[in-house]
Amino acid sequence: MVGSPLMEEEEDMYLDLFLDPYTVQDAFPPAMSHLFSPRAPLDVYPLNLSNPEAVFSPHFGGVKETSSDFSSVDLSFLPDELAQDSKDQAVTGNRHETEQSRKTQDQQCQLQLPGGEDSGLSLNNGSSPGSHAHLYPGGAAFNQPSPEKSSSDSLPVASIVSMTPMNPVPECSGIVPQLQNVVSTANLACKLDLRKIALSAKNTEYNPKRFAAVIMRIREPRTTALLFSSGKVVCTGAKSEEESRLAARKYARVVQKLGFPVKFFNFKIQNMVGSCDVKFPIRLEILALTHRQFSSYEPELFPGLIYKMVRPQVVLLIFASGKVVLTGGSSERWLCDLGQRFRACISGQPAEGTLENHLSKWNYSSLSLVSTMVQRHNQQPDINPLSLERNLGKSSPYSLKAWHRGYRRTKATRTQISGFAGGTCL
Amino acid sequence: MPSGSRCPDCGSSELVEDSHYSQSQLVCSDCGCVVTEGTLTTTFNDEGNLREVTYSRSTGENEQVSRSQQRDLRRVRDLCRILKLPTTFEDTAISYYQRAYQLSGIRAARLQKKEVLVGCCVLITCRQHNWPLTMGAICTLLYADLDVFSGTYMQLVKLLGLDVPALCLADLVKSYCSSFRLFQASPSIPAKYVEDKDKMLSRTLLLVELANETWLVTGRHPLPVITAATFLAWQSLRPSARLTCSLAQFCKLANVDLPYPAASRLQELLAVLLRMASQLAWLRVLKLDKRTVVKHIADLLQHRHMLVRMAFRDGTAEGETQKQQQGEQGQREEAEDSTFDVLERKRPASPAPLLPPCMLKPPKRSHPTPSVSAVTGDENISDSEIEQYLRTPQEVRDFQRAQAASQAAKSVPNPP
């Protein structure tokens, strides 16, 4: 449909707009109601959400890959902000036609075409009425999922392209989860007389009818342990792995002082729970749609989204406020990753590890502006999960893209980036 | 030709239904052997050659399926019929139940869990066909606890590895709104409260869409939002007559249960509408409050995309990183302001951030960053520290005596 030299131009134009956040401010077409009915957008937009690689390939693969993906998209329907000046007339011409057709179709929604009135109030050039018109078909989509396919095709392209690049962030910065709880087990390798322990130690609870273990607590580090008659110990409540180990040793010492021949074997961290705050709101329904195989979002049951990440094996509870709880992490890899990040970010490079610097690096305002715009278009997941995935080392296409987006791109560096495509992310 | 039935003599599957005078017979066309005679049979073999008996009515099922499973399968069917679901849903739900029953975890579960499992299967079927059915509805039908239901549901989805799509909000709005008894005049409903269904439905849809856009739906139970939106839509269609009616009264009139969070959703939605109204020049003059804004909902919805963008700045960071945006918006505000300078002395407040309400509330307690503790885990543990946790022998004896005394006191009944 569009020849390949034209594709190059288009691509450059997209790249420029992609890189420069301030040309695409409020000029964005307004939200669509397809947030409602997840089925409708998948019908209306041929660039389906499960295949974002197709859209991102211009950034990595070169022109050839993109031509096949963009051939189905009618690029003449791009809103004015992204189109070159020369294409303006063609675009607005088309748009007025579609406006007329929208008007006749839109009886069901009580939407009079606000294009005319709104243009007076908006900052945009005269293109916005047209772009408004584009999206009312989307608004009507769940009533009439009908023939507006071609015009809406452009929107996923436009919206994706407009995401702000992130400045390159060093490996270890980013949102650092704070450990809240570490659960570990150890083996004391001797049979314990629970009654005697409960009698001779002050800091214990023992109710054999309720639970067959002694519950012991120590003040420093503030932890709780379950001591079983087989000699196994479960230690909970510590804020770090080292604290957990120290606490477990203290429990062993207490039992040793009571006269049992204890040893300290098989100390193992079983679970780690951390929490963090990405400080911007997250559209859980869109995240659930795009990461369907990993997420479980039931607002009727629980306000958060349960994201079961595969590599590393952690479960995240993601809330709309941007707060995230991470758990799982019994595998050594997560431990190492987390431990490393903690140590390096906290001890070594304080300036880069903190959240505030991270945010300012990301040029926060434009990022979140664009991210919410993107949310409205229901084309892409919120940028937020990408950052989480990146930090936890998951190698999904999204995380790679987020990484690449961090580089300010010029033509010269494009090759450099395509070289990174094969590399590992954090 | 029934599939699977063969002639016992020659093994051919070419069985023809041929009647000998008035008696219907199933005859093998190869060897002529009469396979079955008549429709009443006494042997299990003969039954195998009968045609087209539904599996649930044949004896075969009863022998392979346990009684509790049969009962629950019947319950699944009944539930589907009560909910007036299409017949295909029934079969899907039954198949899910049978698959679930084969899992050992479910087969050995308590009866309460199996009852709830019936509802889970129906719910999953409805979700997969985008039929709007809430968990609350199923729980009331089953007289089940939502906690038990949620546990069983999550377990089932995980074990069967099902992909259950989200609840379709638009369909839920339509079905929920249609259940409001306000569309026809009746002795209990005054004429001024009766409303046209389509108008109310379309306005409710717009309001719910607005709520979705402004973060009022994410993470929350969808139904209270829809209740609040329906109430506002109903009020705004004839504000003069209906402003006096409260949310609770409205739900009672409409014969619909009022969900508890609906009141706070209503307040949040009104706050959003007020913010939007502050951006419309002709409404800013009127100094609207929560009651009077209802009259202008039609206007606000008409320009909602524009107004939401203007009324809320996108972003969560306060202040310094938003200088450029704020500068621009400030200019815009001043431009609008100049025309109404005479009437309004102060500038309208800078746009509020578009955030979920949970982020707008002040944090309950400050989260101090934990100090970096240089614990290595291999430090020496002093004896004195451990000894603080142990009882001296004297203390042990005292404790034992006290325990014995309390046991004795417990065993002796209190004198009246």
Side-chain angles (χ1 to χ4, degrees), chain A residues 280-299:
Chain A
F280 35 69
I282 301 177
R283 291 273 177 197
L284 301 177
E285 54 267 1
I286 300 185
L287 178 56
L289 257 185
T290 48
H291 293 248
R292 227 166 146 149
Q293 59 272 47
F294 306 114
S295 354
S296 157
Y297 173 51
E298 296 287 340

Side-chain angles (χ1 to χ4, degrees), chain B residues 143-293:
Chain B
Y143 303 106
D145 209 5
L146 189 63
D147 302 324
V148 180
F149 187 87
S150 68
T152 316
Y153 174 77
M154 302 300 283
Q155 187 188 12
L156 185 67
V157 170
K158 189 176 78 167
L159 287 175
L160 292 183
L162 297 170
D163 177 25
V164 185
L167 193 58
C168 180
L169 207 56
D171 292 337
L172 181 63
V173 169
K174 284 181 207 156
S175 67
Y176 186 58
C177 275
S178 321
S179 71
F180 281 73
R181 299 260 156 275
L182 286 169
F183 309 123
Q184 278 162 349
S186 83
S188 54
I189 302 176
K192 57 182 179 165
Y193 287 169
V194 176
E195 188 50 69
D196 173 43
K197 184 168 170 178
D198 292 324
K199 275 198 263 173
M200 202 158 115
L201 201 59
S202 57
R203 193 163 280 197
T204 311
L205 279 167
L206 293 177
L207 277 168
V208 175
E209 186 191 324
L210 177 67
N212 203 353
E213 203 182 307
T214 52
W215 294 100
L216 299 181
V217 172
T218 309
R220 274 99 170 267
H221 199 295
L223 214 62
V225 184
I226 303 177
T227 314
T230 314
F231 175 61
L232 276 182
W234 175 79
Q235 266 194 335
S236 68
L237 284 167
R238 236 228 240 175
S240 51
R242 295 174 185 169
L243 263 181
T244 48
C245 185
S246 74
L247 180 60
Q249 285 172 346
F250 170 72
C251 288
K252 209 150 78 156
L253 273 175
N255 203 14
V256 167
D257 286 330
L258 173 64
Y260 173 71
S264 65
R265 298 295 159 267
L266 181 64
Q267 298 305 313
E268 287 167 0
L269 200 49
L270 283 169
V272 166
L273 288 166
L274 273 172
R275 279 227 157 262
M276 285 165 64
S278 67
Q279 298 297 321
L280 269 182
W282 67 89
L283 290 183
R284 213 182 301 142
V285 195
L286 295 176
K287 293 206 189 359
L288 298 171
D289 68 6
K290 278 189 187 148
R291 292 182 66 86
T292 46
V293 76

Side-chain angles (χ1 to χ4, degrees), chain A residues 22 25-33 35-39 108-112 114 117-118 121-124 128 132 136 139 142-143 178-179 197-204 217-221 240 242-243 245-246 249-251 253-255 257-258 277-285 292-293 296-304 306 308 320-323 346-347 359-360 363-366 368-370 372-373 375-376 382, chain B residues 127 129-130 133-136 146 149-150 153-154 158 163-171 173-174 198-199 202-203 205-206 208-209 211-215 217-222 237 279-280 282 301-306 308-310 312 314-317 321-325 328-329 332 336 354-356 358-359 367-370 372-373 375-383 385-392 395-396 399-400 403:
Chain A
Y22 296 114
Q25 297 190 359
D26 270 60
F28 253 93
M32 306 175 80
S33 58
L35 285 172
F36 262 124
S37 45
R39 209 171 30 163
Q108 211 167 348
C109 302
Q110 282 179 0
L111 305 165
Q112 298 160 23
E117 295 182 274
D118 284 350
L121 296 172
S122 72
L123 265 191
N124 314 334
S128 58
H132 284 272
Y136 286 112
F142 61 88
N143 292 329
Q178 282 179 13
L179 273 181
I197 295 176
L199 194 58
S200 320
K202 282 186 206 169
N203 50 341
T204 56
R217 295 187 166 85
I218 57 174
R219 282 183 277 270
E220 181 57 47
S240 74
E242 291 87 7
E243 271 190 25
R245 188 184 157 80
L246 180 61
R249 283 175 56 228
K250 287 193 182 174
Y251 288 113
R253 272 295 272 285
V254 171
V255 177
K257 284 231 181 277
L258 292 172
D277 187 1
V278 303
K279 297 247 196 280
F280 35 69
I282 301 177
R283 291 273 177 197
L284 301 177
E285 54 267 1
R292 227 166 146 149
Q293 59 272 47
S296 157
Y297 173 51
E298 296 287 340
E300 301 175 69
L301 295 178
F302 187 62
I306 303 169
K308 295 200 163 114
S321 59
K323 299 219 165 45
I346 292 172
S347 59
L359 292 176
S360 61
N363 197 354
Y364 198 73
S365 60
S366 46
S368 50
L369 168 76
V370 173
T372 44
M373 292 295 189
Q375 292 153 23
R376 284 191 205 141
D382 203 335
Chain B
R127 282 276 193 97
H129 295 264
N130 275 330
L133 183 63
T134 54
M135 292 191 187
L146 189 63
F149 187 87
S150 68
Y153 174 77
M154 302 300 283
K158 189 176 78 167
D163 177 25
V164 185
L167 193 58
C168 180
L169 207 56
D171 292 337
V173 169
K174 284 181 207 156
D198 292 324
K199 275 198 263 173
S202 57
R203 193 163 280 197
L205 279 167
L206 293 177
V208 175
E209 186 191 324
N212 203 353
E213 203 182 307
T214 52
W215 294 100
V217 172
T218 309
R220 274 99 170 267
H221 199 295
L237 284 167
Q279 298 297 321
L280 269 182
W282 67 89
L301 286 178
Q302 199 179 334
H303 307 291
R304 64 188 185 281
H305 297 304
M306 202 37 245
V308 167
R309 262 194 294 133
M310 287 170 62
F312 297 100
D314 292 305
T316 55
T321 47
Q322 297 234 20
K323 281 193 194 113
Q324 271 228 1
Q325 244 97 29
E328 293 227 7
Q329 284 168 349
R332 211 194 308 148
E336 288 172 348
L354 182 57
L355 293 175
C358 48
M359 287 181 88
H367 297 280
T369 49
V372 182
S373 57
V375 177
T376 60
D378 291 315
E379 287 128 341
N380 278 337
I381 306 169
S382 62
D383 277 352
E385 189 188 343
I386 301 297
E387 246 136 58
Q388 69 178 310
Y389 296 121
L390 302 178
R391 290 198 177 113
T392 61
E395 282 175 359
V396 171
F399 183 70
Q400 272 177 318
Q403 248 189 348

Side-chain angles (χ1 to χ4, degrees), chain A residues 140-296:
Chain A
F142 61 88
N143 292 329
Q144 311 151 20
S146 57
E148 298 95 26
K149 268 194 182 191
S150 55
S151 61
S152 333
D153 289 358
S154 58
L155 298 165
V157 179
S159 59
I160 288 160
V161 158
S162 65
M163 282 208 272
T164 322
M166 294 177 231
N167 296 326
V169 287
E171 252 201 40
C172 222
S173 79
I175 299 155
V176 177
Q178 282 179 13
L179 273 181
Q180 302 289 347
N181 185 21
V182 176
V183 178
S184 57
T185 52
N187 189 0
L188 301 181
C190 75
K191 295 276 172 261
L192 302 177
D193 181 356
L194 297 183
R195 244 177 227 292
K196 185 183 169 198
I197 295 176
L199 194 58
S200 320
K202 282 186 206 169
N203 50 341
T204 56
E205 285 169 38
Y206 182 48
N207 192 347
K209 282 178 245 171
R210 206 174 65 180
F211 191 53
V214 165
I215 303 166
M216 192 185 285
R217 295 187 166 85
I218 57 174
R219 282 183 277 270
E220 181 57 47
R222 190 179 282 275
T223 50
T224 307
L226 301 172
L227 303 164
F228 292 86
S229 53
S230 61
K232 300 257 170 64
V233 183
V234 178
C235 171
T236 62
K239 296 283 185 206
S240 74
E241 307 109 287
E242 291 87 7
E243 271 190 25
S244 194
R245 188 184 157 80
L246 180 61
R249 283 175 56 228
K250 287 193 182 174
Y251 288 113
R253 272 295 272 285
V254 171
V255 177
Q256 187 185 46
K257 284 231 181 277
L258 292 172
F260 295 92
V262 301
K263 300 190 188 58
F264 193 67
F265 288 157
N266 293 347
F267 175 77
K268 183 172 181 234
I269 304 279
Q270 297 291 346
N271 188 20
M272 294 165 73
V273 181
S275 68
C276 63
D277 187 1
V278 303
K279 297 247 196 280
F280 35 69
I282 301 177
R283 291 273 177 197
L284 301 177
E285 54 267 1
I286 300 185
L287 178 56
L289 257 185
T290 48
H291 293 248
R292 227 166 146 149
Q293 59 272 47
F294 306 114
S295 354
S296 157

